[in-house]
Amino acid sequence: MSDASFVMYSTPWCGYCHRLKSQLKREGITFDEVDIEQQPEAAQIVEKANGGNQTVPTLVFADGTALTNPSVAQVKAQLGL
C-alpha cells in the first residue's frame, strides 16, 4: 500500500478526472488511481458507491467513505486538511 490518502477511480477520457487530478497534484495530495475500463472489478466498486452508476471520478477513502466528482475543497475537508 502506498502513502496515498485515497483511491481515485477514473477513465482516460474523463475531463472531470483530469481536472481533479491536476488540482490535487498542485495541492500536494497523494492518491492512487485506478482506470475502471482496465479493471472491471474496480467498476463494481464505483457502481456500489454511486447507486449502480459508473460515475467518475469517484474517490474512495481508507475509512470506506466515497465522494463522487468532488471539489478539491471537499477532498481536503474529507482528509481533515
Side-chain angles (χ1 to χ4, degrees):
M1 187 73 180
S2 72
D3 61 350
S5 307
F6 54 87
V7 177
M8 178 189 294
Y9 295 94
S10 65
T11 60
W13 46 263
C14 167
Y16 295 109
C17 300
H18 288 288
R19 186 178 72 214
L20 183 59
K21 281 188 279 189
S22 66
Q23 291 170 338
L24 292 169
K25 287 177 182 169
R26 255 198 317 275
E27 294 285 335
I29 298 172
T30 58
F31 59 93
D32 290 326
E33 185 177 3
V34 176
D35 178 349
I36 67 168
E37 292 185 334
Q38 299 298 317
Q39 297 188 26
E41 66 280 4
Q44 294 172 348
I45 295 168
V46 171
E47 289 172 4
K48 186 174 175 210
N50 294 293
N53 298 312
Q54 289 187 13
T55 308
V56 289
T58 293
L59 282 53
V60 178
F61 296 84
D63 63 2
T65 59
L67 292 173
T68 303
N69 196 15
S71 67
V72 171
Q74 289 171 303
V75 175
K76 289 173 84 171
Q78 181 74 24
L79 295 172
L81 300 176

